[in-house]
Amino acid sequence: MASQIISAIIVIIVGVGGCLAYFWGANKLVDLVFPSRGVSGAAAVDNLRRQALVRPWLFIGPAILILTVYLIYPVVSTLIYSFYDKGGDSFVGMANYRWLVSDAEFHNSLLNNLMWLIVVPAACTLLGLIIAVLTDKIWWGTIAKSLIFLPLAISFVGASVIWKFVYEYRGEGQEQIGILNAIVQAFGGQPQVWISLPFWNNFFLMIILIWIQTGFAMVILSSALRGIPEETIEAAVIDGANPFQIFWKIMVPQIWGTILVVWTTITILVLKVFDIVLTMTNGQWSSQVLANLMFNWMFRGGGDFGRGATIAIVIMIGVLPIMIWNIRQANKEGGR
Amino acid sequence: MAQPSGNSAGKSFFGRFGVHLAVLFFVLIWTLPTLGILVTSLRDKDQIIASGWWTAFSSSSQTAATRLAPAEAQVQKDGRFIIEGNIFETPGTSTVSAFGTRSAQPTEFAAGEVADLKDGVTLQVNEDGSYLFSSPVAFEGNNGRRVYYAATVPPRFTTENYGTVLYSAGIGRSFLNSLTVTIPATIIPIMIAAFAAYALAWMRFPGRALLIAVIIGLLVVPLQMALIPLLELYNGVGNLFGVPSKTYLGIWLAHTGFGLPFAIYLLRSYMAGLPRELMESARIDGASDFEIFVKIVLPLSFPVLASFAIFQFLWVWNDLLVAMVFLGSGNDQLVLTGRLNALLGSRGGDWEILTTSAFITIIVPLIVFFSLQRYFVRGLLAGSVKGG
């Protein structure tokens, strides 16, 4: 245990020191190889130009190396794996994709993922927007926002334990220790095993992610709402618009761009949702999603890398439109 | 004008009241679940399963069984054989409301009542737990008579669960493992990203625009795409050099790689916003890019470095997937999220273990979050609003 702490400290020193030494040393090396001082004017100009050519790559080199090894190479490699068999040894063409199209569990996962994709971003954005508008009007709004924002810091596994306890089930007539069933029973309803109700259990899992992500939507949208000029709203009030009209016809259109950003950010998160499903149901009772299905095939289904990779590609395809849109948007801004 | 304005004032009073109520409602929904596990983690193990955590502050009613003192404790008095005692180990805290001698009817008699148990045998259990067991013939046997009772138990809070979880459930060890993973995985990407971000923001070179586009593209690449190739790569490297493939070094680098696009993106957009005159005047004074970066840009970028550090810290600390793939499940490598997941499987119904473990798992992020919320929000805004 002590050795672990010591080795962690050593790594921090070596890692950080190594990074610094690399950047400092590489920089010195450039100065030495292409000296700009103590040489004739023409040579100095030449060397300065060469320095300017090399130096950016020294600065950005380590980042490019790591990005290539940890993201770019894997993306290409996963695509290749998806055309190979279990162990990645022999080429099987489209066999993995054909299997996917006919696999019942995949159909179920795809359907569930689609539901997640519709419900979670919509609920987070709408709730976040409503809470942002409401908290802006009261004196304890900042405290309220902090508390609603708080789950964003909680891990998905931690949140799953928290909500598993909310959903805890005891037989009918017994003292319920899960708050949801206690409320249901208090109103004369029948306690349920919420997470094993086929179809509906998906929604009980979604609630966890909505609970976590609403704070994110709220903070971003709240700051966008502040950016709306006061006069616009005042003019609408004078014209006799009611609060709902102001909300839907003035506020929402003004911050439409931000709403889109929040929506897409949560969408990407939802596509990758894994921890919640793994810890709550592990895909049982038809609550499977793509990321967990992939994990199953990678490690539990005897380690079928071909099929795992194929499912990863499906997730990637889901992200692709957002990726393209983001790059286009950035290029437009870069033009300024 | 007077009429409508009076009208709208009335509406706005109810309107404002409604706003307070609505916000209160949301705050309750968002805090109650977390409060539930905090309260539960501090409750007595037996009370957790007997009543909901929201009743923790009031006395709870429990039905339990116990045995009266055995025959050897009997005394003879007025021609009857009598056993006296108290059903509670520590009398004075709980109150008996009813008792019985058959498990089918554990609350057959009210406290204080003299129960007639056939053949002249009587039993009286009082509210304070004291009892009087009396019989015309001598009691026999080594085991005392079994008695059931319903008692009102006052709320009891304890930190016992924390001790259990930290030492015997392995949470203490996992806490250290999580720290071992998180701290280097937070610091290393900052260094690498800062230099890259400066180059992308302030240095001119061919391919710059393409690199920026690639990084924005990588921003959204699902982690799932990286798992299989990297696992194979690690296994290959491990076999080649005869070293284990699941190491802390491996996960540090993996987290660095996965965090790097966001780090570069966030730092670049901040650094690009720094005033151009600052760089130019330094350059005229003969400062090199390296000096400008270290002496001007880095100190000025402190807020955004802090933002990213918080993000990366929370993300690595809360991560389950990367840890499951790149670290082993042994005691020396299992991180908190992984341990919690394992406990959900092995100790599924032991809420005192689960809630306490969960609370220990989330306490560090909550502290970081509350103390550095300003930076966190700033990073969030910079990362997504501009992030188009």
Coordinates of all heavy atoms in Angstrom, one line a residue, chain A residues 4 18 42 53 85 108 125 150 169 188 197 204 222 233-234 264 271 325 329:
Chain A
Q4 N 2.6 1.6 -3.2 CA 1.8 2.2 -4.2 C 1.7 3.7 -4.2 O 1.8 4.3 -5.3 CB 0.4 1.6 -4.0 CG -0.6 2.0 -5.1 CD -2.0 1.4 -4.8 OE1 -2.1 0.4 -4.2 NE2 -3.0 2.0 -5.3
G18 N 9.4 14.9 -16.8 CA 9.7 14.5 -18.1 C 9.1 15.4 -19.2 O 9.8 15.7 -20.1
A42 N 22.2 37.4 -42.6 CA 21.4 36.5 -43.5 C 21.2 35.1 -42.9 O 20.1 34.6 -43.0 CB 22.1 36.4 -44.9
L53 N 9.6 27.1 -38.4 CA 9.1 25.9 -39.1 C 9.0 24.7 -38.1 O 8.1 23.9 -38.2 CB 10.0 25.6 -40.3 CG 9.3 25.2 -41.6 CD1 8.3 26.3 -42.0 CD2 10.3 24.9 -42.6
D85 N -13.0 -12.2 -37.3 CA -13.7 -13.1 -36.4 C -13.4 -12.8 -34.9 O -12.7 -11.8 -34.7 CB -13.4 -14.6 -36.7 CG -12.0 -14.9 -36.4 OD1 -11.2 -14.0 -36.2 OD2 -11.7 -16.1 -36.3
N108 N -33.3 -5.2 -29.5 CA -33.8 -4.6 -28.3 C -32.9 -3.4 -27.8 O -33.4 -2.4 -27.4 CB -33.8 -5.7 -27.2 CG -34.3 -5.3 -25.9 OD1 -33.6 -5.4 -24.9 ND2 -35.5 -4.7 -25.9
T125 N -33.1 19.0 -21.3 CA -33.2 20.3 -21.8 C -34.4 21.1 -21.3 O -34.3 22.2 -20.9 CB -33.1 20.3 -23.4 OG1 -32.1 19.4 -23.8 CG2 -32.9 21.6 -24.0
L150 N -25.7 19.6 -8.3 CA -24.8 18.7 -7.6 C -24.6 17.3 -8.1 O -23.5 16.8 -8.2 CB -25.3 18.7 -6.1 CG -24.6 17.9 -5.1 CD1 -24.6 18.7 -3.8 CD2 -25.2 16.6 -4.8
Y169 N -37.6 -2.5 -3.3 CA -38.9 -3.1 -3.3 C -39.0 -4.1 -2.1 O -38.1 -4.9 -1.8 CB -39.2 -3.9 -4.5 CG -40.4 -4.8 -4.5 CD1 -41.7 -4.3 -4.6 CD2 -40.2 -6.2 -4.3 CE1 -42.8 -5.2 -4.6 CE2 -41.3 -7.0 -4.2 CZ -42.6 -6.5 -4.4 OH -43.6 -7.4 -4.3
G188 N -52.1 4.2 -1.6 CA -53.0 3.0 -1.8 C -52.6 2.2 -3.0 O -53.3 1.3 -3.4
L197 N -39.6 -4.3 -14.5 CA -40.8 -4.2 -15.3 C -40.4 -4.0 -16.8 O -39.9 -2.9 -17.1 CB -41.7 -3.0 -14.9 CG -42.3 -2.9 -13.6 CD1 -42.9 -1.6 -13.3 CD2 -43.3 -4.0 -13.4
F204 N -37.2 4.1 -15.9 CA -36.7 4.2 -14.5 C -35.1 4.4 -14.5 O -34.6 5.0 -13.6 CB -37.1 3.1 -13.6 CG -38.6 3.2 -13.3 CD1 -39.5 2.4 -13.9 CD2 -39.0 4.2 -12.4 CE1 -40.9 2.5 -13.6 CE2 -40.4 4.3 -12.1 CZ -41.3 3.5 -12.7
S222 N -29.1 28.7 -18.4 CA -29.3 29.9 -17.5 C -28.3 31.0 -17.9 O -28.7 32.2 -18.0 CB -29.0 29.5 -16.1 OG -28.8 30.5 -15.2
I233 N -37.5 41.7 -23.4 CA -38.5 41.1 -22.6 C -39.4 42.2 -22.1 O -40.6 42.0 -22.0 CB -37.8 40.3 -21.4 CG1 -37.1 39.1 -22.0 CG2 -38.9 39.9 -20.4 CD1 -36.2 38.4 -21.0
E234 N -38.8 43.3 -21.7 CA -39.6 44.4 -21.2 C -40.6 44.9 -22.3 O -41.8 45.1 -22.0 CB -38.8 45.6 -20.8 CG -38.3 45.6 -19.4 CD -37.2 46.5 -19.1 OE1 -37.0 47.5 -19.8 OE2 -36.4 46.3 -18.2
T264 N -27.2 18.3 -28.2 CA -26.3 17.4 -28.9 C -25.2 16.8 -27.9 O -24.9 15.7 -27.9 CB -25.5 18.1 -30.0 OG1 -25.0 19.3 -29.6 CG2 -26.4 18.3 -31.2
L271 N -25.6 8.1 -26.0 CA -25.2 7.0 -26.9 C -24.2 6.1 -26.2 O -24.2 4.9 -26.5 CB -24.5 7.6 -28.2 CG -25.4 7.9 -29.4 CD1 -24.7 8.7 -30.4 CD2 -25.9 6.6 -30.0
W325 N -21.2 18.0 -38.0 CA -21.9 19.3 -37.8 C -20.9 20.2 -36.9 O -20.7 21.4 -37.2 CB -23.2 19.1 -37.0 CG -24.0 20.3 -36.8 CD1 -24.6 21.0 -37.8 CD2 -24.2 21.0 -35.6 NE1 -25.2 22.1 -37.3 CE2 -25.0 22.1 -35.9 CE3 -23.8 20.8 -34.3 CZ2 -25.5 23.0 -35.0 CZ3 -24.3 21.7 -33.3 CH2 -25.1 22.8 -33.7
Q329 N -19.3 23.7 -38.1 CA -19.5 24.9 -37.3 C -18.2 25.6 -36.9 O -18.1 26.8 -37.0 CB -20.2 24.4 -36.0 CG -21.4 25.1 -35.4 CD -22.4 25.7 -36.4 OE1 -22.6 25.2 -37.5 NE2 -23.0 26.8 -36.0

